[in-house]
Amino acid sequence: MIEHIKLFLDALTAVGAIAAAVGVYVAYEQLETLNKTLEDNRRWNKVISAFSITPNNEEINTIEEELNESFIKIIDRTAPLSAADVEELCKPENARLKILLKNYLNELESYCTAINVGAVCEETAKRKYSHKIKRLFLELRPYIERLRTDHNEPTLFIEIEQVVKMWEPPIPAGRTY
């Protein structure tokens, strides 16, 4: 009888060990599923951020329209600002244009900062905005360089420049405004 009890206890111990192993496996699978879900959510949030962190379209459109009506021609421009354009922009009578352009560049800088720190899905941002960010940076670079020199601050609008360099060559896309 004692042998039967020992066999029963051994069998019970084996069943308990199997149940514990199954429990550990199930817990591991649940953790893996939870981790995958968290990664998917993180990725989704970054994709959504690529669109929701973008500069305010209404504000950007208003600024672009006003800058396009000036000699800056931010929408219609096809070449970098000339030295004469930069000098004209720096004249006191063009203070309003300078403020508009500074606000515009600051909006782009904020978005590019979000890209650079990983708050935004870079791939999504690149597909949607690479053409515009690169074009604007290259066309406004003479003015940006002037600001960097005048303020002795070589990192002004550096986030935009880093994104442009990171995205070489850009994904081809049509111009959008």
Side-chain angles (χ1 to χ4, degrees):
M1 174 104 157
I2 292 182
E3 255 184 56
H4 288 299
I5 293 175
K6 281 184 178 180
L7 281 173
F8 175 76
L9 290 176
D10 287 345
L12 193 57
T13 301
V15 168
I18 291 171
V22 168
V24 167
Y25 175 76
V26 168
Y28 172 78
E29 287 297 316
Q30 287 177 336
L31 286 173
E32 283 292 312
T33 301
L34 179 62
N35 189 41
K36 184 180 180 325
T37 301
L38 288 173
E39 282 301 314
D40 288 346
N41 284 340
R42 227 178 262 121
R43 207 173 356 230
W44 176 251
N45 289 339
K46 283 183 162 190
V47 168
I48 293 301
S49 293
F51 296 102
S52 63
I53 293 179
T54 59
N56 179 315
N57 278 335
E58 187 176 326
E59 181 181 343
I60 288 296
N61 290 344
T62 301
I63 292 172
E64 284 179 339
E65 287 171 8
E66 193 166 337
L67 290 172
N68 202 54
E69 290 172 4
S70 73
F71 64 91
I72 295 173
K73 298 285 185 216
I74 202 159
I75 296 171
D76 298 331
R77 178 169 290 285
T78 58
L81 289 170
S82 68
D85 290 335
V86 172
E87 287 305 316
E88 182 69 25
L89 188 54
C90 292
K91 290 180 179 177
E93 59 266 23
N94 287 319
R96 171 131 176 84
L97 289 176
K98 279 177 64 174
I99 291 169
L100 285 171
L101 190 53
K102 177 190 67 112
N103 290 343
Y104 190 78
L105 286 168
N106 281 333
E107 289 287 340
L108 288 177
E109 182 80 348
S110 295
Y111 187 67
C112 289
T113 300
I115 294 167
N116 287 333
V117 300
V120 171
C121 176
E122 181 199 340
E123 181 182 339
T124 303
K126 182 178 181 180
R127 292 180 68 91
K128 182 149 177 63
Y129 296 110
S130 65
H131 62 287
K132 185 171 189 172
I133 292 173
K134 179 182 180 191
R135 182 185 68 80
L136 288 168
F137 178 74
L138 295 177
E139 291 173 1
L140 299 174
R141 187 177 206 157
Y143 178 66
I144 292 169
E145 293 296 332
R146 170 73 180 262
L147 289 175
R148 288 174 175 175
T149 301
D150 288 353
H151 297 285
N152 194 26
E153 184 54 64
T155 61
L156 281 175
F157 304 114
I158 198 71
E159 299 291 338
I160 301 170
E161 185 172 358
Q162 289 173 348
V163 165
V164 169
K165 286 179 181 176
M166 181 171 58
W167 287 351
E168 286 294 334
I171 293 173
R175 270 174 82 164
T176 61
Y177 288 100

